[in-house]
Amino acid sequence: MDTTVETRDPITDDIDAVIIGAGFAGLYMNQRLRDQMGLRVQVFETGEGVGGTWYWNRYPGARCDSESYIYCYSFDKDLMQEWEWSGKYPEQPEILRYLNHVADRHDLRRNIAFQTRVTSAHWDEADHRWTVQTDRGDTVRCQFLITAIGCLSTGQVPKIPGLDSFQGDWYHTGAWPHEGVDFTGKRVGVIGTGSSGVQSIPRIAEQAGHLTVFQRTAQYTVPARHGTVDKAFLDDIKTRYEDVYEYCRRSAGGQPYTLSERSALTVSDEERAAVFEAAWQEGGFKFLTATFNDIALDRRANDTASEFIRAKIRETVKDPEVAEKLVPVDHPFTSKRPLIDTHYFETYNRDNVTLVDIRHAPIEEITPTGIRTTDGEYELDVIVFATGFDAMTGPFFRMDIQGKDGLKLKDKWEHGPLTYLGVSTVGFPNLFMITGPGSPSVLSNMPVSIEQHVEWIGDVVEHMRAEGVETMEADQQAETEWVAHVNEIAAATMFMLADSWYLGANIPGKPRVFMPYVGGVGAYRQKCDEVRDAGYEGFNLSPAATPVAGA
Ligand SMILES: Cc1cc2nc3c(=O)[nH]c(=O)nc-3n(C[C@H](O)[C@H](O)[C@H](O)COP(=O)(O)OP(=O)(O)OC[C@H]3O[C@@H](n4cnc5c(N)ncnc54)[C@H](O)[C@@H]3O)c2cc1C
């Protein structure tokens, strides 16, 4: 990867807004504030280009699980008509191309400072400004600070003794070399079988001399049935695109699927099996949404889906011993991030693939020549960490964010994130978080949630300017009640029954708190709209201080 950092003078402006991040969220926020509202805006982005997730995650098989025609913006109606997606699920290069096209089309790069990490942001109560500093020596003061830093942008490489001694190459899927990695003839080890692992393992196996997969948690995954997208289908969507997108905005998960109205427990075994089979053949998230309405809510209903997938794994994987290792038994389906795949289980039928169960024989150390577990040593040329992210709070904690009276965000969130609507947190006026913890975020088709936040924050800024409001800060009671609500509804779902990254369980020492809002995209949007329509209920809005005469 070319890591040349272009020289430039430090930025020392006093402006309206700083946006951190130039992925889906930062790009649209920039367009909204700068172009639609005429604010003076500075964007900072660590990467060399736009794209966020799709700039960083270039591993083989990297692909979106949302269908292409709804994994895009809806604010640019002409672009919705013009853009032609090639596949059912867009691959990383295509999404990156799309986001670069959006940046070109709206001339969004000219106020983005690339290769620049925001290191700190401090609130100055005296003049109600944020002071933002970067690793390039920039110091920018602004009224509004908006984080568009992503929920999954802080890669997690587990601290395994000996990594420094490894003589081969190693990579994290979330920081993949731009020039790609040639695995031809190599002995490759992949650690992790979450979404990135499930996507990359079949592709790496096709190229590697030998692939060893180190699995801690066996996964439920449903075939994606990826393929080229039917042009007639897309043309039809385009005749009613706004309706389709509006359906997503009001839905549970920001997806276009019709939810089943039937319980899995009210049909015969034969009928249930037929419904699951049809959804399995069609592929994708419909297995979760369009089959039965209680899979994620009722343990007995869930058992029927979990058992169906387990049977599929046993049917697909030829070696019964390997199949049993791949069958998830310690958590129910949907308690972790749902996965979809392309030939994942079939990959374990290949002669050049070995599965190592590190739940029962944990990794002890990385040696100069490979990985040693408690029951054996595996010689490797390359190690791939498909070990995920320090989700949601990780990107915040990599910055020193200080609010009123020097309150550090890291201290305030020591026992878990505390927000009002996932967009604001008490003690940090004029700080707005796009898809922050406590909002639907990672439980949704994210462009839908991102657009909703960008537009809601845009409305806030417009209101403040129109009404002469200088600061807006969440009210303590509103925040406390929102956090209680987020926890209460999560407790009623399957999500609490697994050690997932939603709960911070993949990061040693991270508090076990369910971070996203599980109440649904539509219900959440309605709540945000009600808050806005009631004059920003639950927020304290303060006018600009009037200068004292003679002072
Ligand atoms: C492998 C993978 C697959 C995914 N698949 C799906 C999917 O199928 N459907 C779906 O809806 N979502 C999916 N997601 C979630 C995806 O992150 C979102 O859909 C979306 O891309 C998020 O956009 P964003 O702009 O909010 O954040 P990001 O795309 O993460 O962008 C955030 C940007 O902020 C920058 N940044 C962070 N901190 C700083 C700092 N301190 N200073 C400067 N810059 C900073 C980062 O470099 C990054 O470029 C997936 C994520 C991953 C990792």
Side-chain angles (χ1 to χ4, degrees):
M1 196 186 323
D2 180 11
T3 48
T4 319
V5 178
E6 281 176 27
T7 51
R8 62 164 175 79
D9 292 332
I11 306 167
T12 55
D13 294 333
D14 196 333
I15 54 170
D16 297 313
V18 163
I19 299 167
I20 314 174
F24 255 104
L27 288 176
Y28 183 29
M29 195 78 244
N30 189 22
Q31 197 272 347
R32 180 81 174 184
L33 294 184
R34 192 195 71 178
D35 297 350
Q36 294 185 36
M37 295 168 59
L39 266 67
R40 293 164 302 155
V41 178
Q42 177 65 55
V43 184
F44 290 113
E45 165 57 56
T46 312
E48 284 172 6
V50 302
T53 289
W54 308 104
Y55 168 89
W56 295 106
N57 289 265
R58 301 175 188 232
Y59 57 85
R63 175 180 292 159
C64 180
D65 294 343
S66 304
E67 291 191 46
S68 51
Y69 68 92
I70 38 102
Y71 193 76
C72 55
Y73 295 113
S74 72
F75 77 88
D76 184 336
K77 308 294 176 212
D78 293 337
L79 180 59
M80 288 173 93
Q81 293 299 324
E82 288 164 25
W83 189 264
E84 302 277 349
W85 292 105
S86 68
K88 184 174 175 190
Y89 303 100
E91 288 185 282
Q92 173 273 329
E94 192 169 11
I95 308 173
L96 186 58
R97 213 161 43 244
Y98 170 80
L99 290 169
N100 272 294
H101 177 75
V102 172
D104 290 339
R105 186 178 172 98
H106 293 279
D107 189 18
L108 294 174
R109 287 193 193 79
R110 73 183 138 88
N111 61 329
I112 304 177
F114 291 107
Q115 297 179 299
T116 307
R117 175 180 293 284
V118 170
T119 49
S120 70
H122 293 179
W123 174 252
D124 187 345
E125 187 61 13
D127 63 358
H128 296 160
R129 286 286 177 281
W130 284 97
T131 301
V132 177
Q133 294 194 301
T134 76
D135 62 355
R136 299 287 296 275
D138 309 305
T139 304
V140 174
R141 289 168 61 73
C142 57
Q143 184 181 2
F144 302 106
L145 176 63
I146 297 163
T147 59
I149 52 183
C151 301
L152 302 170
S153 61
T154 304
Q156 155 74 356
V157 177
K159 290 190 174 60
I160 302 173
L163 179 57
D164 287 350
S165 73
F166 184 58
Q167 287 166 359
D169 297 318
W170 66 266
Y171 308 93
H172 185 276
T173 49
W176 202 256
H178 291 196
E179 64 278 12
V181 178
D182 183 3
F183 293 109
T184 312
K186 301 248 171 78
R187 297 165 302 175
V188 184
V190 173
I191 304 178
T193 53
S195 187
S196 310
V198 161
Q199 287 186 341
S200 60
I201 284 165
R203 295 282 285 273
I204 294 174
E206 282 168 12
Q207 218 189 40
H210 193 90
L211 172 64
T212 308
V213 177
F214 296 86
Q215 170 193 276
R216 187 174 61 184
T217 308
Q219 300 282 1
Y220 299 93
T221 154
V222 173
R225 311 279 180 214
H226 176 60
T228 50
V229 72
D230 181 8
K231 184 155 176 0
F233 170 77
L234 276 191
D235 287 347
D236 172 53
I237 293 284
K238 286 183 180 181
T239 63
R240 50 193 174 86
Y241 220 154
E242 185 50 31
D243 291 345
V244 171
Y245 216 93
E246 182 61 15
Y247 181 88
C248 296
R249 292 186 194 112
R250 303 285 161 192
S251 69
Q255 302 281 2
Y257 309 132
T258 311
L259 297 186
S260 166
E261 290 179 356
R262 282 195 304 179
S263 159
L265 304 174
T266 55
V267 295
S268 67
D269 291 351
E270 293 72 28
E271 190 177 354
R272 193 185 309 111
V275 170
F276 282 142
E277 184 63 31
W280 184 267
Q281 292 309 328
E282 191 173 350
F285 285 147
K286 277 193 189 168
F287 188 86
L288 177 59
T289 56
T291 48
F292 299 104
N293 63 5
D294 47 359
I295 291 174
L297 297 171
D298 184 295
R299 188 62 197 258
R300 284 182 312 136
N302 184 285
D303 283 345
T304 65
S306 300
E307 207 39 62
F308 180 88
I309 300 176
R310 289 183 195 124
K312 284 288 182 192
I313 298 170
R314 293 184 176 112
E315 197 179 296
T316 310
V317 180
K318 291 189 185 130
D319 181 331
E321 244 180 73
V322 177
E324 282 320 302
K325 283 186 198 168
L326 288 165
V327 167
V329 286
D330 60 352
H331 64 283
F333 175 53
T334 75
S335 58
K336 284 170 163 278
R337 204 274 199 189
L339 304 180
I340 62 176
D341 71 272
T342 302
H343 308 313
Y344 176 66
F345 293 119
E346 291 85 339
T347 297
Y348 293 94
N349 293 332
R350 296 177 66 105
D351 291 339
N352 70 334
V353 176
T354 305
L355 178 66
V356 176
D357 176 359
I358 56 171
R359 166 75 41 95
H360 294 106
I363 293 177
E364 284 198 319
E365 65 168 341
I366 294 177
T367 67
T369 53
I371 291 180
R372 195 160 57 73
T373 70
T374 51
D375 68 1
E377 183 150 2
Y378 302 86
E379 303 261 307
L380 301 169
D381 304 307
V382 184
I383 299 174
V384 174
F385 289 94
T387 41
F389 302 88
D390 185 353
M392 306 205 75
T393 51
F396 284 98
F397 292 167
R398 278 168 80 170
M399 296 180 278
D400 169 27
I401 301 181
Q402 294 187 25
K404 282 159 114 176
D405 304 320
L407 175 64
K408 288 178 189 282
L409 188 67
K410 210 172 176 169
D411 290 342
K412 179 177 170 181
W413 287 4
E414 189 187 355
H415 302 295
L418 303 170
T419 71
Y420 179 39
L421 301 175
V423 77
S424 174
T425 184
V426 177
F428 298 80
N430 293 2
L431 165 66
F432 298 104
M433 301 173 278
I434 302 175
T435 63
S439 73
S441 57
V442 289
L443 297 180
S444 66
N445 170 41
M446 289 199 71
V448 172
S449 293
I450 287 169
E451 283 202 336
Q452 186 248 335
H453 265 183
V454 167
E455 287 160 13
W456 194 88
I457 293 166
D459 288 351
V460 164
V461 172
E462 211 158 63
H463 175 82
M464 289 174 71
R465 287 160 76 87
E467 300 297 320
V469 174
E470 191 164 77
T471 64
M472 176 157 156
E473 184 188 349
D475 171 70
Q476 186 58 63
Q477 192 185 338
E479 179 172 292
T480 305
E481 286 173 6
W482 183 252
V483 171
H485 174 59
V486 170
N487 289 328
E488 191 190 344
I489 54 174
T493 68
M494 295 294 136
F495 285 117
M496 305 309 280
L497 302 178
D499 285 336
S500 69
W501 56 259
Y502 295 134
L503 278 157
N506 62 327
I507 307 294
K510 194 164 172 171
R512 194 181 166 89
V513 173
F514 192 76
M515 293 181 285
Y517 177 64
V518 78
V521 164
Y524 173 80
R525 173 183 288 268
Q526 191 180 333
K527 168 73 179 170
C528 290
D529 289 352
E530 286 166 7
V531 165
R532 181 197 57 211
D533 297 345
Y536 296 101
E537 191 177 39
F539 286 95
N540 297 312
L541 284 71
S542 308
T546 320
V548 180

